[in-house]
Tab-separated table of all heavy atoms in Angstrom:
chain	number	residue	atom	x	y	z
A	104	VAL	N	-33.100	41.116	-19.024
A	104	VAL	CA	-32.369	41.794	-17.964
A	104	VAL	C	-31.017	41.327	-17.726
A	104	VAL	O	-29.978	42.116	-17.659
A	104	VAL	CB	-33.220	41.582	-16.543
A	104	VAL	CG1	-32.307	42.191	-15.365
A	104	VAL	CG2	-34.477	42.292	-16.612
A	105	VAL	N	-30.769	40.007	-17.789
A	105	VAL	CA	-29.345	39.506	-17.661
A	105	VAL	C	-28.484	39.855	-18.796
A	105	VAL	O	-27.265	40.243	-18.607
A	105	VAL	CB	-29.466	37.859	-17.591
A	105	VAL	CG1	-28.053	37.320	-17.512
A	105	VAL	CG2	-30.192	37.496	-16.294
A	106	GLN	N	-29.007	39.709	-20.006
A	106	GLN	CA	-28.165	40.090	-21.250
A	106	GLN	C	-27.915	41.566	-21.109
A	106	GLN	O	-26.637	42.025	-21.518
A	106	GLN	CB	-28.887	39.789	-22.574
A	106	GLN	CG	-30.093	40.515	-22.860
A	106	GLN	CD	-29.902	41.816	-23.581
A	106	GLN	OE1	-28.895	41.960	-24.331
A	106	GLN	NE2	-30.825	42.812	-23.390
A	107	TYR	N	-28.820	42.423	-20.726
A	107	TYR	CA	-28.542	43.925	-20.614
A	107	TYR	C	-27.418	44.033	-19.680
A	107	TYR	O	-26.562	44.941	-19.820
A	107	TYR	CB	-29.840	44.598	-20.320
A	107	TYR	CG	-29.658	46.059	-20.499
A	107	TYR	CD1	-30.080	46.762	-21.632
A	107	TYR	CD2	-29.250	46.804	-19.408
A	107	TYR	CE1	-29.919	48.139	-21.826
A	107	TYR	CE2	-29.009	48.295	-19.546
A	107	TYR	CZ	-29.385	48.815	-20.829
A	107	TYR	OH	-29.219	50.168	-20.925
A	108	PHE	N	-27.655	43.478	-18.514
A	108	PHE	CA	-26.595	43.604	-17.400
A	108	PHE	C	-25.200	43.424	-17.945
A	108	PHE	O	-24.278	44.236	-17.856
A	108	PHE	CB	-26.942	42.769	-16.198
A	108	PHE	CG	-25.827	42.742	-15.133
A	108	PHE	CD1	-25.629	43.713	-14.280
A	108	PHE	CD2	-24.969	41.622	-15.130
A	108	PHE	CE1	-24.713	43.746	-13.376
A	108	PHE	CE2	-23.913	41.639	-14.143
A	108	PHE	CZ	-23.807	42.646	-13.238
A	109	PHE	N	-24.916	42.197	-18.451
A	109	PHE	CA	-23.652	41.707	-18.909
A	109	PHE	C	-23.159	42.643	-20.088
A	109	PHE	O	-21.870	43.017	-20.068
A	109	PHE	CB	-23.533	40.278	-19.159
A	109	PHE	CG	-23.575	39.432	-17.953
A	109	PHE	CD1	-24.676	38.878	-17.441
A	109	PHE	CD2	-22.345	39.272	-17.275
A	109	PHE	CE1	-24.659	38.021	-16.333
A	109	PHE	CE2	-22.299	38.482	-16.127
A	109	PHE	CZ	-23.538	38.013	-15.629
A	110	ILE	N	-23.949	42.964	-21.030
A	110	ILE	CA	-23.514	43.668	-22.308
A	110	ILE	C	-23.270	45.160	-21.859
A	110	ILE	O	-22.339	45.743	-22.477
A	110	ILE	CB	-24.482	43.500	-23.364
A	110	ILE	CG1	-24.493	42.041	-23.883
A	110	ILE	CG2	-24.257	44.491	-24.633
A	110	ILE	CD1	-25.606	41.738	-24.995
A	111	VAL	N	-24.001	45.718	-20.984
A	111	VAL	CA	-23.682	46.967	-20.618
A	111	VAL	C	-22.476	47.155	-19.644
A	111	VAL	O	-21.666	48.130	-19.891
A	111	VAL	CB	-24.971	47.542	-19.894
A	111	VAL	CG1	-24.609	48.920	-19.098
A	111	VAL	CG2	-26.068	47.980	-20.837
A	112	VAL	N	-22.309	46.224	-18.802
A	112	VAL	CA	-21.228	46.296	-17.846
A	112	VAL	C	-19.843	45.949	-18.615
A	112	VAL	O	-18.872	46.544	-18.182
A	112	VAL	CB	-21.490	45.308	-16.626
A	112	VAL	CG1	-20.179	45.155	-15.791
A	112	VAL	CG2	-22.654	45.806	-15.876
A	113	ALA	N	-19.918	44.990	-19.557
A	113	ALA	CA	-18.617	44.539	-20.153
A	113	ALA	C	-17.777	45.747	-20.707
A	113	ALA	O	-16.603	45.663	-20.302
A	113	ALA	CB	-18.990	43.582	-21.307
A	114	PRO	N	-18.247	46.681	-21.336
A	114	PRO	CA	-17.285	47.747	-21.819
A	114	PRO	C	-16.688	48.669	-20.637
A	114	PRO	O	-15.636	49.271	-20.938
A	114	PRO	CB	-18.244	48.710	-22.730
A	114	PRO	CG	-19.381	47.810	-23.113
A	114	PRO	CD	-19.566	46.892	-21.879
A	115	VAL	N	-17.251	48.464	-19.477
A	115	VAL	CA	-16.669	49.188	-18.300
A	115	VAL	C	-15.306	48.616	-17.998
A	115	VAL	O	-14.344	49.363	-17.788
A	115	VAL	CB	-17.624	48.973	-17.100
A	115	VAL	CG1	-16.902	49.701	-15.885
A	115	VAL	CG2	-18.902	49.839	-17.378
A	116	PHE	N	-15.077	47.409	-18.202
A	116	PHE	CA	-13.854	46.777	-17.905
A	116	PHE	C	-12.817	47.132	-18.940
A	116	PHE	O	-11.666	47.390	-18.629
A	116	PHE	CB	-14.027	45.252	-17.751
A	116	PHE	CG	-14.735	44.785	-16.625
A	116	PHE	CD1	-16.150	44.501	-16.777
A	116	PHE	CD2	-14.238	44.774	-15.319
A	116	PHE	CE1	-16.882	44.136	-15.600
A	116	PHE	CE2	-14.965	44.306	-14.292
A	116	PHE	CZ	-16.295	44.109	-14.451
A	117	ILE	N	-13.141	47.095	-20.275
A	117	ILE	CA	-12.232	47.522	-21.251
A	117	ILE	C	-11.773	48.971	-21.048
A	117	ILE	O	-10.749	49.496	-21.412
A	117	ILE	CB	-12.633	47.187	-22.679
A	117	ILE	CG1	-11.436	47.152	-23.738
A	117	ILE	CG2	-13.677	48.010	-23.176
A	117	ILE	CD1	-10.454	46.046	-23.417
A	118	SER	N	-12.793	49.805	-20.671
A	118	SER	CA	-12.592	51.209	-20.417
A	118	SER	C	-11.465	51.206	-19.249
A	118	SER	O	-10.555	52.151	-19.308
A	118	SER	CB	-13.832	51.921	-19.967
A	118	SER	OG	-14.701	51.947	-20.978
A	119	GLY	N	-11.712	50.623	-18.179
A	119	GLY	CA	-10.648	50.436	-17.161
A	119	GLY	C	-9.332	50.078	-17.636
A	119	GLY	O	-8.322	50.512	-17.213
A	120	GLY	N	-9.227	49.132	-18.606
A	120	GLY	CA	-8.019	48.637	-19.273
A	120	GLY	C	-7.454	49.875	-20.026
A	120	GLY	O	-6.179	50.047	-19.939
A	121	ILE	N	-8.205	50.676	-20.698
A	121	ILE	CA	-7.695	51.786	-21.362
A	121	ILE	C	-7.216	52.910	-20.402
A	121	ILE	O	-6.017	53.472	-20.666
A	121	ILE	CB	-8.826	52.410	-22.286
A	121	ILE	CG1	-9.188	51.490	-23.456
A	121	ILE	CG2	-8.462	53.885	-22.687
A	121	ILE	CD1	-10.360	51.854	-24.318
A	122	TYR	N	-7.785	53.067	-19.272
A	122	TYR	CA	-7.283	54.031	-18.269
A	122	TYR	C	-5.907	53.485	-17.776
A	122	TYR	O	-4.938	54.294	-17.622
A	122	TYR	CB	-8.213	54.145	-17.097
A	122	TYR	CG	-9.698	54.501	-17.387
A	122	TYR	CD1	-10.787	54.137	-16.726
A	122	TYR	CD2	-9.891	55.335	-18.551
A	122	TYR	CE1	-12.047	54.502	-16.923
A	122	TYR	CE2	-11.232	55.670	-18.816
A	122	TYR	CZ	-12.237	55.287	-18.126
A	122	TYR	OH	-13.542	55.613	-18.473
A	123	THR	N	-5.801	52.159	-17.574
A	123	THR	CA	-4.554	51.556	-17.197
A	123	THR	C	-3.410	51.781	-18.093
A	123	THR	O	-2.303	52.086	-17.769
A	123	THR	CB	-4.767	50.037	-16.921
A	123	THR	OG1	-5.780	49.814	-15.923
A	123	THR	CG2	-3.532	49.355	-16.488
A	124	VAL	N	-3.699	51.611	-19.378
A	124	VAL	CA	-2.741	51.846	-20.397
A	124	VAL	C	-2.241	53.260	-20.428
A	124	VAL	O	-0.872	53.515	-20.513
A	124	VAL	CB	-3.299	51.563	-21.882
A	124	VAL	CG1	-2.197	51.928	-22.910
A	124	VAL	CG2	-3.562	50.070	-21.915
A	125	LEU	N	-3.084	54.233	-20.217
A	125	LEU	CA	-2.628	55.662	-20.051
A	125	LEU	C	-1.650	55.797	-18.883
A	125	LEU	O	-0.593	56.435	-19.023
A	125	LEU	CB	-3.730	56.678	-19.940
A	125	LEU	CG	-3.374	58.059	-19.724
A	125	LEU	CD1	-2.492	58.583	-20.869
A	125	LEU	CD2	-4.651	58.896	-19.574
A	126	THR	N	-2.027	55.255	-17.848
A	126	THR	CA	-1.015	55.351	-16.624
A	126	THR	C	0.233	54.608	-16.881
A	126	THR	O	1.249	55.116	-16.375
A	126	THR	CB	-1.742	54.764	-15.351
A	126	THR	OG1	-1.995	53.329	-15.559
A	126	THR	CG2	-3.085	55.470	-15.093
A	127	CYS	N	0.247	53.509	-17.651
A	127	CYS	CA	1.495	52.827	-18.008
A	127	CYS	C	2.338	53.663	-18.787
A	127	CYS	O	3.514	53.767	-18.662
A	127	CYS	CB	1.179	51.484	-18.679
A	127	CYS	SG	0.420	50.228	-17.652
A	128	LEU	N	1.664	54.355	-19.817
A	128	LEU	CA	2.440	55.350	-20.772
A	128	LEU	C	3.046	56.440	-19.964
A	128	LEU	O	4.205	56.828	-20.242
A	128	LEU	CB	1.524	55.849	-21.852
A	128	LEU	CG	1.066	54.840	-22.912
A	128	LEU	CD1	0.033	55.347	-23.815
A	128	LEU	CD2	2.310	54.296	-23.758
A	129	ILE	N	2.350	56.958	-18.921
A	129	ILE	CA	2.818	58.053	-18.200
A	129	ILE	C	3.988	57.546	-17.317
A	129	ILE	O	5.141	58.237	-17.253
A	129	ILE	CB	1.653	58.596	-17.247
A	129	ILE	CG1	0.639	59.288	-18.016
A	129	ILE	CG2	2.396	59.582	-16.122
A	129	ILE	CD1	-0.512	59.648	-17.193
A	130	ALA	N	3.977	56.322	-16.817
A	130	ALA	CA	5.109	55.721	-16.102
A	130	ALA	C	6.341	55.551	-16.973
A	130	ALA	O	7.421	55.751	-16.516
A	130	ALA	CB	4.578	54.362	-15.367
A	131	MET	N	5.957	55.206	-18.263
A	131	MET	CA	7.102	54.973	-19.113
A	131	MET	C	7.991	56.088	-19.423
A	131	MET	O	9.184	56.026	-19.601
A	131	MET	CB	6.593	54.274	-20.342
A	131	MET	CG	7.599	53.739	-21.315
A	131	MET	SD	6.850	52.787	-22.770
A	131	MET	CE	6.171	54.220	-23.654
A	132	VAL	N	7.270	57.279	-19.586
A	132	VAL	CA	7.919	58.492	-20.063
A	132	VAL	C	8.296	59.324	-18.960
A	132	VAL	O	9.155	60.284	-19.094
A	132	VAL	CB	7.176	59.252	-21.186
A	132	VAL	CG1	6.991	58.377	-22.393
A	132	VAL	CG2	5.885	59.645	-20.651
Side-chain angles (χ1 to χ4, degrees):
V104 172
V105 175
Q106 67 86 32
Y107 191 93
F108 170 78
F109 282 97
I110 291 176
V111 165
V112 171
V115 173
F116 293 101
I117 199 63
S118 297
I121 288 171
Y122 305 148
T123 302
V124 173
L125 175 58
T126 62
C127 290
L128 290 172
I129 294 172
M131 189 175 71
V132 300

